[in-house]
Amino acid sequence: MISNREHHWDALRATLMLLGIPYHVAMSYRADAVWILNSGEGMPAMNILAELIHVVRMPAFFLIAGYFAMVTLARRSAGTWFSARLLRLLVPFLAAMLTLNPLLNIFCELTNFRLGEALVSLERNSVASAGYVLRHLWFIIVLLYCLGGAALLSRIMPRRLHAPVRPDLDEKLAARIALTCLGAGIAMGIWEALAVEAFYEAGLATRVPQEMLRLDQLIEFAPWFAAGGLIARARACREALHRFSPALFVITAVVLTLHIRFGEELHPAADRFIATVAAMGMAQTLLALFKSFASRPSPIVRELVSGAFVIYLVHLPIIAGLVLLGKSLALPLPLKAMLVMAGTVALSWALWRIIAQRPALRFLYDGTLAPSMPAPPPQCPRGMKTRNA
């Protein structure tokens, strides 16, 4: 198991969360597409940008979450570990759902209706739709499922769960890492194509319970979480994943192109399969890329890692407000989208800095207590020297 913190994993996880900003801006300005925000305008380039980010962002996020879960579970008792994770995630989840999402929803309604009609729609949807209340916080529910499952398995079968992958198998898989990733992508793609589709065909996606429980997304992302846990136990494979694979990159580019070009024309299960294969290849490429430039401690990266979760929580209401404001501005759409994106980054970062400096707010929106400031060193009488500890 890993003994030292690998900073590129932290950096990649933070980047995937921060990619929510360009993703949701692109979703707001897609051409001929309906979303929670109605900007009233769109362009095809935004459709492509949104899909490029969407394919890899959450699969890679859950893969990294599984990796970190296995690493940290090996060092702590399952109960203590899960209790800490529950507190860290549940408090911001409730705080954001009660304070940020109502603001997000009223902005969304105002992009469709005048104030009076918007308030009526807000009241109606707040009662009728659990997803309306949840919005972009859904991933926390799925993550808690995965973390709880990992803690339970660690409690029931600790030796088997944390044992390293058999060295000979690990070496064989690492020696052919492109085929290993492709095979894993195909296997997971088959699972997601069949299992998610079966969930819908069985009529289990009943509106209000499913919008809150997110069981279909648990089916979709649990294999990625499990794959991350396996990577933490397979040293040779992990090292191989950190090396760029030209063959896998080319295959991924072809599969991704097929998904973007023909995905809407395929059966949802078939498109889900193709997207999963592409996601696996993209995740490997990102790991190799971040290993090459973000493997050492960096103050900038450390700050991004610290603020990524809060920035993710606050960014969507900001985007909604700026998109609403932008409807009254006669600007070229590419310029307008860039201004909304830049404004969202700046305001989200400013809110993070405000929250980070106030312990109560940091606990509510980050689930952590701000570290106490160290006491100043004692003043020495003039002419005396201090001795270093």
Side-chain angles (χ1 to χ4, degrees), residues 175-259:
R176 299 171 177 81
I177 196 63
L179 288 177
T180 298
C181 290
L182 187 60
I186 290 172
M188 292 168 66
I190 292 172
W191 163 258
E192 294 189 10
L194 298 179
V196 175
E197 195 64 26
F199 180 88
Y200 292 138
E201 288 295 326
L204 298 177
T206 51
R207 186 176 181 186
V208 174
Q210 168 56 18
E211 285 179 349
M212 183 59 72
L213 295 176
R214 299 289 172 161
L215 297 179
D216 56 341
Q217 286 166 315
L218 173 62
I219 294 171
E220 181 179 359
F221 294 115
W224 291 94
F225 186 90
L230 282 173
I231 292 171
R233 297 166 51 200
R235 180 176 180 178
C237 279
R238 186 169 63 255
E239 292 176 352
L241 286 170
H242 291 156
R243 296 190 293 269
F244 176 73
S245 170
L248 184 60
F249 179 80
V250 171
I251 294 171
T252 300
V254 172
V255 176
L256 183 61
T257 301
L258 292 174
H259 165 65

Side-chain angles (χ1 to χ4, degrees), residues 68-69 72-73 76-86 147-148 150-151:
F68 277 127
T72 53
L73 258 176
R76 304 177 65 182
S77 69
T80 302
W81 175 82
F82 183 66
S83 297
R85 301 309 300 158
L86 185 64
L147 296 174

Side-chain angles (χ1 to χ4, degrees), residues 79 122 171 355 361:
L122 177 72
E171 293 289 347
I355 290 170
L361 289 178

Side-chain angles (χ1 to χ4, degrees), residues 23-226:
Y23 172 64
H24 288 126
V25 170
M27 289 290 290
S28 303
Y29 291 109
R30 290 182 303 163
D32 303 320
V34 178
W35 194 48
I36 62 173
L37 284 167
N38 177 18
S39 65
E41 51 191 336
M43 55 184 178
M46 289 297 180
N47 298 57
I48 297 174
L49 176 61
E51 195 57 35
L52 283 172
I53 297 173
H54 174 69
V55 166
V56 70
R57 191 170 69 96
M58 294 316 298
F61 173 84
F62 276 95
L63 182 131
I64 294 171
Y67 172 82
F68 277 127
M70 188 62 61
V71 171
T72 53
L73 258 176
R75 302 169 182 167
R76 304 177 65 182
S77 69
T80 302
W81 175 82
F82 183 66
S83 297
R85 301 309 300 158
L86 185 64
L87 180 66
R88 173 74 196 277
L89 293 170
L90 196 57
V91 171
F93 171 78
L94 294 174
M97 188 168 63
L98 294 174
T99 62
L100 297 176
N101 283 9
L103 184 63
L104 164 64
N105 286 330
I106 188 59
F107 284 153
C108 290
E109 296 292 356
L110 287 171
T111 64
N112 290 282
F113 306 108
R114 296 182 181 274
L115 179 59
E117 296 172 310
L119 292 175
V120 172
S121 181
L122 177 72
E123 181 180 6
R124 181 177 62 249
N125 287 320
S126 296
V127 174
S129 172
Y132 189 83
V133 177
L134 195 61
R135 291 305 193 194
H136 63 309
L137 307 178
W138 64 266
F139 84 97
I140 297 179
I141 293 177
V142 179
L143 183 57
L144 285 174
Y145 287 146
C146 294
L147 296 174
L152 180 62
L153 289 175
S154 183
R155 187 74 174 267
I156 295 173
M157 51 178 69
R159 291 185 179 179
R160 183 174 299 179
L161 184 68
H162 298 292
V165 173
R166 206 173 69 234
D168 59 331
L169 177 60
D170 188 15
E171 293 289 347
K172 287 180 181 179
L173 294 174
R176 299 171 177 81
I177 196 63
L179 288 177
T180 298
C181 290
L182 187 60
I186 290 172
M188 292 168 66
I190 292 172
W191 163 258
E192 294 189 10
L194 298 179
V196 175
E197 195 64 26
F199 180 88
Y200 292 138
E201 288 295 326
L204 298 177
T206 51
R207 186 176 181 186
V208 174
Q210 168 56 18
E211 285 179 349
M212 183 59 72
L213 295 176
R214 299 289 172 161
L215 297 179
D216 56 341
Q217 286 166 315
L218 173 62
I219 294 171
E220 181 179 359
F221 294 115
W224 291 94
F225 186 90

Side-chain angles (χ1 to χ4, degrees), residues 296-306 349:
R296 295 182 179 181
S298 163
I300 295 176
V301 172
R302 185 163 54 247
E303 186 68 15
L304 289 175
V305 169
S306 298
W349 183 263

